[in-house]
Amino acid sequence: MATHLSHSQRRPPLLRQAVKIRRRKAQDVQDTLPQMAQEVEPQSHHFSPEERTLLYEEALYTVLHRLGQLEPNHVAESSELLRYLQEAFHLEPEEHQQMLQQALELEKPMFFLKATVKQAKDILGKDVSGFSDPYCLLGIEEGVGVPGGSSGARRRQKAVVRDTIPEEQIHRTQVITQTLNPVWDETFILEFKDIANASFHLDMWDMDTVESVRQKLGELTDLHGLRRILKEVRKDKGQDDFLGSLVLRLQDLHCREDQWYPLEPCTETHPDRGQCHLQFQFIHKRRATRASRSQPSYTVHLHLLQQLVSHEVTQHQAGSTSWDGLLSPQAATILFLHATQKDLSDFHQSMAQWLAYSCLYQSLEFPSSCLLHPITSIEYQWIQGRLKEEQLGELATSFSSLLAYGLSLIRRFRSVFPLSVADSPARLQSLLRVLVQMCKMKAFGELCPDSAPLPHLVTEALRTGTVEWFHLKQQHHQPMVQGLLEAGKALLSLVQDVTGDLNQCQCTWNKIFHNALKIDLFSTAFQELQWLVAKRVQDYTVAVGGQVSPEMGESLFQLYISLKEFCQLGPDPSKREGVLALDGFHRWFQPAIPSWLQKTYSVALARVQRAVQMDELVPLEELTKHSTSAVDLSTCFAQISHTARQLDWPNPEEAFMITVKFVEDTCRLALVYCSLIKARARELSAGHKDQGQAANMLCVVVNNMEQLRLVMGKLPTQLAWETLEQRVGAVLEQGQLQNTLHAQLQGVLAGLGHEIRTGVRTLAEQLEVGIAKHIQKLLGIRESVLPEDAILPLMKFLEVELCYMNTNLVQENFSSLLTLLWTHTLTVLTEAAASQRGSPLASSRLKIALQNLEICFHAEGCGLPPEALHTATFQALQRDLALQAASSRELIQKYFCSRLKQQAETTSEELGVVTVKASYRASEQKLRVELLSASSLLPLDSNGSSDPFVQLTLEPRHMFPELAPRETQKHKKDLHPLFDETFEFLVPTEPCQEDGACLLLTVLDHDTLGANDLEGEAFLPLCSVPGFPGDEEPSELPQTRLPLTYPTPSGDPILQLLESRKGDREAQAFVRMRQQRAKQAAQHTPRPGW
């Protein structure tokens, strides 16, 4: 057996390079492992010089005396194999030549062909039954080669084996009766001297026993059977039938051969005689090497395998690559030759591979997946009785050693399989798979019956390894300088490392352990680590006490946040069993809360002050109209909200007080910012005489405040007030949250709104002066200028200024500015309209100006909405300007339009009523009016009656200048006169269809001595008279009943406007006449009860 090296200097150089940290032995495993797994130490794969010499001689001897053809993937050149052996054993050329010469001088081994006759198929049926009783004769013929490499060149003959091979060298299989597909599976060891002049011979015969004709006739089944009986009669009794033969040159065979061969006939009568399945293997006996004479073949092969695999791994490591478990062609060829020559079974080869790989895995770096193949092979072929006691001990030791080593790797999996190396998860998964498969083996169960279940062993290893890892991390973070602040930083780093490790366990490692062994690594690690962390954090917070400096407060806050992240990884409180050591850990940090809140406010205030001081009050970009300080302020508030969310204090009542403090500080910062930014604007404006620059800065200030208001409006969402309200619902009085938090926020929002309105009002005042000046200039432009041209200066002024404001103000502030300017503009226009009441031209200009201003301020939907434009002031001004801009005749038409509207709306007949029929004949252009009667007239005379008559006129007079008024007959003392008179008016169609065109029926009380008294007026719209083009003249004209009306007693606005036009005679005449009618109406207004 191999022994350990006594001095490290004797190790080959490349092997010394391959030594890794993973050479720690399995005795490092934790105390919880079984005693067997702790005491086992893996055997070393390094050999003493004497052992290496013997092993090298064995390898050279194997190459020098190779037999047969090699596999296609093996190395055929012996020189290449010898060079590889020199490298694998790290020999100098002189030493290699010396040992090679010694190997050449050794006696050759005895050569044997191990031939296994497995079976045959489709052979000839020689018996009467159609079957045969086949057996085989086989042996080796030496001294005579087979020319051409095939048996066909030799003369076909029967009894090849009996005729060419001495009887004592002939081997015979058993007879398989009555079959055409015999199975023998018999192995024969055939010696030969020279492979070049030796050939393998096999004859297959049908055993023929002596039977009577009666017996054979009993077996007869068909005509072919009868022919066989006749043939049997002719041949000698007891003579066997030839079934076929096979001749193979040994030098054409591979070291190992396994295939079907066709059986050759001696004649062409039956050329197809079936096939025979043969296995060949060239083996040695009496090898002259010292290793073969002194050690079992299995042990020698194991050592050779260890040496070559060690070299393969070392070569890859020297080239900075990892071995993938595949042997080089040279190593595979040598090991194949050695196993073949030594006639090692597949089971013993798998055993050797397992022992070699399991030993090397504990000292060299290569994939654990290489162990799976020998595990599978051993399990498949396992029979305990086929191994010697010593081999069973070796196998049990290898199981225990690998288990202990694997558990030690699992215990230290964080450092052995770091995630910084890409294939670490795959390597750990492979190791677990190997351990699982090994522990499931029948061999493991029989040889290691006292081993605990693998999941239990792995769980204990993980638990112990987690504690060890924590203590290593704690030592790593131990501060160089002693002090509470340094200790806090070290503890923070430790907690962060622990949290990171748990994240890795949860995301990566847990899946691997669960899939392999159904082990919850994360829960195991979390349970161990949370107790360790809790103990150290609690001890530290007790040492800090209640006096918390700003630096200490910052350190405690970071530690608190890290602990929250740590606890969030744990199981949900509703699903876990028992109490965690970290439950309620926030109470340990309660003394630090005032320091945290003060630090948060101080940092934010300093940032606000610095941001304002560096602000040049210039918009950040075209689409962002606030300046840098507004952005910095938003960041400050976001940081405060983030701090509040990080804190997330568990106690509801204390959480409410903390939130109140955060809101109070945020509101205070907002007001401080307003003061600072206004002071900054005054400071920058003091150095500029340009008023436009000052306006720019004012726009930026207003935009910044608007941005601040938007940010403050998001405060309830950012601080999760709704969630807080649900948490404190059972602690606080109803409405307390609304009265505190919301009241604070609404107060600061109101203050910001006032500041914004003040700024916008200042900007509006600068524009209002310009608007008033342009409106006054509009009224002073000479009359020859068209109204559309007269308003151009005003519109250009507004276009420039509003575009400027729209560019420099955010939409909310620009809309506020437009509202102020619109209100002011309407006031100025109203005052101007009042001053120009008697001037249609000026009123026309103001009317057009109002129309264009409405379009300008609406700006196609980008400015003020219609409901904001169409105020009561606007509508009144619009009506007034529409009247003032009209001509006198247009006003007269409007007057009659209003009287017609009044007539249509009048239903009361308290003044009386007149009944008429009217029609129009378009062909004659005649308007025919039949005045039928009047009724219920007012008694205007002192005798209690009246003397009524009706005056008929077509109004307005300027539309019917050629038509004089008509009158009916006067009826004495009659309040219900029946006139029954007809009047015709020659009038064209067009004026009758104009707005306001009507027939005015004035009912008067005739007075002989004075002026006639007014009974009332009735208005018939001409457009409603039947007979105009487009109307069908009815067969019978309808009667129209018109209630009498009085003029408006308070004064008609149209008449007032016409009265103001002193230079217009037509207007003045119309006003006098209407005023006279109004005066008459005022004298006879009906009293209640009439």
Side-chain angles (χ1 to χ4, degrees), residues 780-818:
I781 296 176
R782 61 183 183 274
E783 296 183 0
S784 60
V785 179
L786 294 175
E788 291 79 4
D789 296 333
I791 65 170
L792 285 179
L794 171 62
M795 301 311 298
K796 288 182 178 180
F797 168 79
L798 284 175
E799 181 181 2
V800 172
E801 295 298 331
L802 293 182
C803 285
Y804 171 80
M805 291 299 174
N806 186 35
T807 303
N808 290 276
L809 289 175
V810 297
Q811 185 61 40
E812 292 79 3
N813 294 336
F814 181 66
S815 298
S816 300
L817 177 67
L818 288 180

Short mmCIF file of all heavy atoms in Angstrom, two decimals, residues 780-818:
data_model
loop_
_atom_site.label_atom_id
_atom_site.label_comp_id
_atom_site.label_asym_id
_atom_site.label_seq_id
_atom_site.Cartn_x
_atom_site.Cartn_y
_atom_site.Cartn_z
N GLY A 780 -58.57 107.18 -29.43
CA GLY A 780 -58.11 108.45 -29.99
C GLY A 780 -57.67 108.38 -31.43
O GLY A 780 -57.24 109.39 -32.00
N ILE A 781 -57.71 107.23 -32.06
CA ILE A 781 -57.29 107.11 -33.46
C ILE A 781 -58.34 107.78 -34.34
O ILE A 781 -59.54 107.72 -34.08
CB ILE A 781 -57.12 105.63 -33.82
CG1 ILE A 781 -55.99 105.00 -32.98
CG2 ILE A 781 -56.82 105.45 -35.30
CD1 ILE A 781 -55.82 103.52 -33.21
N ARG A 782 -57.85 108.42 -35.41
CA ARG A 782 -58.76 109.18 -36.29
C ARG A 782 -59.81 108.27 -36.89
O ARG A 782 -59.62 107.06 -37.03
CB ARG A 782 -57.97 109.88 -37.39
CG ARG A 782 -57.19 108.94 -38.29
CD ARG A 782 -56.38 109.75 -39.31
NE ARG A 782 -55.67 108.87 -40.24
CZ ARG A 782 -54.49 108.34 -40.02
NH1 ARG A 782 -53.88 108.62 -38.86
NH2 ARG A 782 -53.92 107.56 -40.92
N GLU A 783 -60.94 108.91 -37.30
CA GLU A 783 -62.10 108.15 -37.74
C GLU A 783 -61.87 107.41 -39.04
O GLU A 783 -62.54 106.42 -39.32
CB GLU A 783 -63.29 109.10 -37.90
CG GLU A 783 -63.73 109.74 -36.61
CD GLU A 783 -64.96 110.62 -36.80
OE1 GLU A 783 -65.42 110.68 -37.95
OE2 GLU A 783 -65.43 111.21 -35.81
N SER A 784 -60.91 107.83 -39.85
CA SER A 784 -60.69 107.19 -41.15
C SER A 784 -60.06 105.80 -41.01
O SER A 784 -60.09 105.01 -41.95
CB SER A 784 -59.79 108.08 -42.01
OG SER A 784 -58.53 108.28 -41.37
N VAL A 785 -59.49 105.50 -39.88
CA VAL A 785 -58.86 104.19 -39.67
C VAL A 785 -59.95 103.16 -39.36
O VAL A 785 -60.80 103.40 -38.51
CB VAL A 785 -57.83 104.25 -38.53
CG1 VAL A 785 -57.20 102.86 -38.31
CG2 VAL A 785 -56.75 105.28 -38.83
N LEU A 786 -59.87 102.03 -40.05
CA LEU A 786 -60.84 100.97 -39.83
C LEU A 786 -60.69 100.40 -38.42
O LEU A 786 -59.58 100.35 -37.87
CB LEU A 786 -60.65 99.85 -40.85
CG LEU A 786 -60.95 100.21 -42.31
CD1 LEU A 786 -60.61 99.05 -43.23
CD2 LEU A 786 -62.41 100.61 -42.48
N PRO A 787 -61.81 99.95 -37.81
CA PRO A 787 -61.71 99.38 -36.46
C PRO A 787 -60.73 98.19 -36.37
O PRO A 787 -60.02 98.05 -35.38
CB PRO A 787 -63.15 98.94 -36.15
CG PRO A 787 -63.99 99.81 -37.02
CD PRO A 787 -63.21 100.05 -38.28
N GLU A 788 -60.71 97.34 -37.44
CA GLU A 788 -59.80 96.19 -37.42
C GLU A 788 -58.34 96.63 -37.36
O GLU A 788 -57.50 95.97 -36.73
CB GLU A 788 -60.04 95.31 -38.65
CG GLU A 788 -61.37 94.58 -38.66
CD GLU A 788 -62.54 95.49 -39.07
OE1 GLU A 788 -62.26 96.65 -39.42
OE2 GLU A 788 -63.70 95.05 -39.03
N ASP A 789 -58.05 97.75 -38.03
CA ASP A 789 -56.67 98.25 -38.00
C ASP A 789 -56.38 99.00 -36.71
O ASP A 789 -55.25 99.01 -36.23
CB ASP A 789 -56.43 99.17 -39.20
CG ASP A 789 -56.55 98.43 -40.52
OD1 ASP A 789 -56.30 97.20 -40.52
OD2 ASP A 789 -56.90 99.06 -41.54
N ALA A 790 -57.41 99.60 -36.16
CA ALA A 790 -57.21 100.40 -34.96
C ALA A 790 -56.80 99.54 -33.76
O ALA A 790 -56.08 100.01 -32.87
CB ALA A 790 -58.47 101.20 -34.65
N ILE A 791 -57.25 98.28 -33.73
CA ILE A 791 -56.95 97.45 -32.55
C ILE A 791 -55.63 96.69 -32.68
O ILE A 791 -55.23 95.98 -31.76
CB ILE A 791 -58.09 96.43 -32.31
CG1 ILE A 791 -58.16 95.44 -33.48
CG2 ILE A 791 -59.41 97.14 -32.09
CD1 ILE A 791 -59.08 94.28 -33.22
N LEU A 792 -54.95 96.82 -33.83
CA LEU A 792 -53.71 96.06 -34.03
C LEU A 792 -52.65 96.32 -32.96
O LEU A 792 -52.01 95.37 -32.47
CB LEU A 792 -53.15 96.32 -35.43
CG LEU A 792 -53.88 95.64 -36.58
CD1 LEU A 792 -53.25 96.00 -37.92
CD2 LEU A 792 -53.86 94.12 -36.40
N PRO A 793 -52.39 97.58 -32.59
CA PRO A 793 -51.36 97.80 -31.56
C PRO A 793 -51.66 97.07 -30.24
O PRO A 793 -50.78 96.50 -29.62
CB PRO A 793 -51.36 99.31 -31.38
CG PRO A 793 -51.86 99.84 -32.67
CD PRO A 793 -52.88 98.86 -33.15
N LEU A 794 -52.93 97.07 -29.84
CA LEU A 794 -53.32 96.38 -28.62
C LEU A 794 -53.08 94.88 -28.73
O LEU A 794 -52.52 94.24 -27.82
CB LEU A 794 -54.79 96.66 -28.31
CG LEU A 794 -55.41 95.83 -27.15
CD1 LEU A 794 -54.70 96.14 -25.84
CD2 LEU A 794 -56.91 96.12 -27.05
N MET A 795 -53.46 94.29 -29.87
CA MET A 795 -53.32 92.85 -30.03
C MET A 795 -51.85 92.43 -30.12
O MET A 795 -51.45 91.39 -29.58
CB MET A 795 -54.07 92.37 -31.29
CG MET A 795 -55.56 92.69 -31.28
SD MET A 795 -56.39 92.20 -29.74
CE MET A 795 -56.13 90.46 -29.78
N LYS A 796 -51.02 93.26 -30.78
CA LYS A 796 -49.58 92.93 -30.85
C LYS A 796 -48.94 93.00 -29.46
O LYS A 796 -48.10 92.17 -29.12
CB LYS A 796 -48.89 93.89 -31.82
CG LYS A 796 -49.22 93.63 -33.28
CD LYS A 796 -48.47 94.58 -34.19
CE LYS A 796 -48.76 94.29 -35.66
NZ LYS A 796 -48.04 95.21 -36.57
N PHE A 797 -49.35 94.00 -28.69
CA PHE A 797 -48.82 94.13 -27.33
C PHE A 797 -49.16 92.88 -26.51
O PHE A 797 -48.29 92.29 -25.84
CB PHE A 797 -49.39 95.39 -26.68
CG PHE A 797 -49.13 95.47 -25.20
CD1 PHE A 797 -47.90 95.86 -24.72
CD2 PHE A 797 -50.13 95.14 -24.28
CE1 PHE A 797 -47.66 95.91 -23.36
CE2 PHE A 797 -49.89 95.20 -22.93
CZ PHE A 797 -48.65 95.60 -22.47
N LEU A 798 -50.42 92.44 -26.59
CA LEU A 798 -50.82 91.27 -25.82
C LEU A 798 -50.14 89.99 -26.32
O LEU A 798 -49.75 89.13 -25.53
CB LEU A 798 -52.34 91.10 -25.89
CG LEU A 798 -53.16 92.06 -25.03
CD1 LEU A 798 -54.65 91.86 -25.29
CD2 LEU A 798 -52.86 91.83 -23.56
N GLU A 799 -50.01 89.89 -27.63
CA GLU A 799 -49.37 88.70 -28.18
C GLU A 799 -47.95 88.56 -27.67
O GLU A 799 -47.53 87.47 -27.24
CB GLU A 799 -49.38 88.77 -29.71
CG GLU A 799 -48.74 87.54 -30.36
CD GLU A 799 -48.74 87.64 -31.88
OE1 GLU A 799 -49.20 88.67 -32.41
OE2 GLU A 799 -48.26 86.70 -32.52
N VAL A 800 -47.20 89.66 -27.69
CA VAL A 800 -45.81 89.61 -27.23
C VAL A 800 -45.73 89.29 -25.74
O VAL A 800 -44.99 88.41 -25.30
CB VAL A 800 -45.09 90.95 -27.56
CG1 VAL A 800 -43.71 90.98 -26.91
CG2 VAL A 800 -44.99 91.14 -29.06
N GLU A 801 -46.54 90.02 -24.96
CA GLU A 801 -46.44 89.87 -23.51
C GLU A 801 -46.97 88.51 -23.04
O GLU A 801 -46.36 87.87 -22.17
CB GLU A 801 -47.22 91.01 -22.82
CG GLU A 801 -46.64 92.40 -23.05
CD GLU A 801 -45.23 92.53 -22.51
OE1 GLU A 801 -44.89 91.84 -21.53
OE2 GLU A 801 -44.46 93.33 -23.06
N LEU A 802 -48.07 88.06 -23.61
CA LEU A 802 -48.62 86.78 -23.19
C LEU A 802 -47.76 85.61 -23.63
O LEU A 802 -47.62 84.61 -22.91
CB LEU A 802 -50.05 86.61 -23.71
CG LEU A 802 -51.08 87.58 -23.11
CD1 LEU A 802 -52.46 87.30 -23.68
CD2 LEU A 802 -51.10 87.50 -21.59
N CYS A 803 -47.17 85.72 -24.82
CA CYS A 803 -46.23 84.67 -25.24
C CYS A 803 -45.04 84.61 -24.30
O CYS A 803 -44.55 83.53 -23.95
CB CYS A 803 -45.77 84.93 -26.68
SG CYS A 803 -47.01 84.55 -27.93
N TYR A 804 -44.58 85.77 -23.91
CA TYR A 804 -43.45 85.83 -22.97
C TYR A 804 -43.83 85.17 -21.64
O TYR A 804 -43.07 84.36 -21.09
CB TYR A 804 -43.05 87.28 -22.76
CG TYR A 804 -42.04 87.49 -21.66
CD1 TYR A 804 -40.69 87.25 -21.88
CD2 TYR A 804 -42.45 87.91 -20.39
CE1 TYR A 804 -39.77 87.44 -20.86
CE2 TYR A 804 -41.53 88.08 -19.38
CZ TYR A 804 -40.19 87.85 -19.61
OH TYR A 804 -39.28 88.03 -18.60
N MET A 805 -45.01 85.53 -21.13
CA MET A 805 -45.43 84.95 -19.86
C MET A 805 -45.70 83.45 -19.97
O MET A 805 -45.38 82.68 -19.06
CB MET A 805 -46.71 85.66 -19.36
CG MET A 805 -46.46 87.10 -18.94
SD MET A 805 -45.28 87.18 -17.58
CE MET A 805 -45.04 88.94 -17.42
N ASN A 806 -46.27 83.05 -21.09
CA ASN A 806 -46.51 81.62 -21.29
C ASN A 806 -45.21 80.83 -21.34
O ASN A 806 -45.12 79.69 -20.89
CB ASN A 806 -47.30 81.40 -22.58
CG ASN A 806 -47.72 79.96 -22.76
OD1 ASN A 806 -48.02 79.26 -21.80
ND2 ASN A 806 -47.72 79.50 -24.00
N THR A 807 -44.19 81.47 -21.88
CA THR A 807 -42.88 80.82 -21.95
C THR A 807 -42.23 80.71 -20.59
O THR A 807 -41.55 79.72 -20.27
CB THR A 807 -41.95 81.59 -22.91
OG1 THR A 807 -42.57 81.66 -24.19
CG2 THR A 807 -40.60 80.90 -23.04
N ASN A 808 -42.44 81.69 -19.73
CA ASN A 808 -41.72 81.77 -18.47
C ASN A 808 -42.53 81.30 -17.26
O ASN A 808 -41.96 81.21 -16.16
CB ASN A 808 -41.24 83.20 -18.24
CG ASN A 808 -40.14 83.61 -19.19
OD1 ASN A 808 -38.97 83.33 -18.97
ND2 ASN A 808 -40.51 84.25 -20.30
N LEU A 809 -43.82 81.06 -17.44
CA LEU A 809 -44.64 80.62 -16.32
C LEU A 809 -45.15 79.21 -16.57
O LEU A 809 -45.40 78.82 -17.72
CB LEU A 809 -45.85 81.55 -16.12
CG LEU A 809 -45.57 82.95 -15.57
CD1 LEU A 809 -46.86 83.77 -15.55
CD2 LEU A 809 -44.97 82.89 -14.17
N VAL A 810 -45.31 78.44 -15.51
CA VAL A 810 -45.95 77.14 -15.64
C VAL A 810 -47.44 77.36 -15.91
O VAL A 810 -47.98 78.45 -15.69
CB VAL A 810 -45.75 76.29 -14.36
CG1 VAL A 810 -44.29 75.99 -14.15
CG2 VAL A 810 -46.33 76.98 -13.14
N GLN A 811 -48.12 76.35 -16.37
CA GLN A 811 -49.49 76.50 -16.85
C GLN A 811 -50.43 77.02 -15.76
O GLN A 811 -51.28 77.87 -16.03
CB GLN A 811 -50.00 75.14 -17.37
CG GLN A 811 -51.39 75.21 -17.99
CD GLN A 811 -51.44 76.13 -19.20
OE1 GLN A 811 -50.53 76.16 -20.01
NE2 GLN A 811 -52.51 76.92 -19.29
N GLU A 812 -50.27 76.54 -14.53
CA GLU A 812 -51.16 76.97 -13.46
C GLU A 812 -51.02 78.47 -13.21
O GLU A 812 -52.03 79.20 -13.09
CB GLU A 812 -50.86 76.20 -12.17
CG GLU A 812 -51.19 74.72 -12.23
CD GLU A 812 -50.14 73.92 -12.96
OE1 GLU A 812 -49.12 74.52 -13.37
OE2 GLU A 812 -50.32 72.70 -13.12
N ASN A 813 -49.80 78.95 -13.13
CA ASN A 813 -49.58 80.38 -12.87
C ASN A 813 -49.95 81.24 -14.08
O ASN A 813 -50.45 82.36 -13.94
CB ASN A 813 -48.13 80.63 -12.49
CG ASN A 813 -47.77 80.00 -11.17
OD1 ASN A 813 -48.64 79.75 -10.34
ND2 ASN A 813 -46.50 79.68 -10.97
N PHE A 814 -49.73 80.70 -15.28
CA PHE A 814 -50.12 81.45 -16.47
C PHE A 814 -51.64 81.59 -16.54
O PHE A 814 -52.16 82.66 -16.91
CB PHE A 814 -49.59 80.73 -17.71
CG PHE A 814 -49.92 81.44 -19.00
CD1 PHE A 814 -49.38 82.69 -19.29
CD2 PHE A 814 -50.78 80.87 -19.93
CE1 PHE A 814 -49.69 83.34 -20.49
CE2 PHE A 814 -51.09 81.50 -21.10
CZ PHE A 814 -50.55 82.74 -21.40
N SER A 815 -52.35 80.55 -16.16
CA SER A 815 -53.81 80.65 -16.15
C SER A 815 -54.28 81.67 -15.12
O SER A 815 -55.22 82.44 -15.37
CB SER A 815 -54.42 79.27 -15.84
OG SER A 815 -54.08 78.35 -16.85
N SER A 816 -53.64 81.70 -13.96
CA SER A 816 -53.99 82.71 -12.94
C SER A 816 -53.73 84.11 -13.47
O SER A 816 -54.53 85.03 -13.25
CB SER A 816 -53.18 82.45 -11.67
OG SER A 816 -53.45 81.17 -11.15
N LEU A 817 -52.61 84.27 -14.16
CA LEU A 817 -52.29 85.60 -14.73
C LEU A 817 -53.33 86.00 -15.76
O LEU A 817 -53.79 87.16 -15.79
CB LEU A 817 -50.90 85.54 -15.36
CG LEU A 817 -50.43 86.82 -16.07
CD1 LEU A 817 -50.22 87.95 -15.07
CD2 LEU A 817 -49.14 86.58 -16.84
N LEU A 818 -53.72 85.07 -16.62
CA LEU A 818 -54.73 85.38 -17.63
C LEU A 818 -56.05 85.80 -16.98
O LEU A 818 -56.73 86.72 -17.47
CB LEU A 818 -54.96 84.18 -18.54
CG LEU A 818 -53.85 83.84 -19.54
CD1 LEU A 818 -54.24 82.62 -20.35
CD2 LEU A 818 -53.58 85.01 -20.48
#
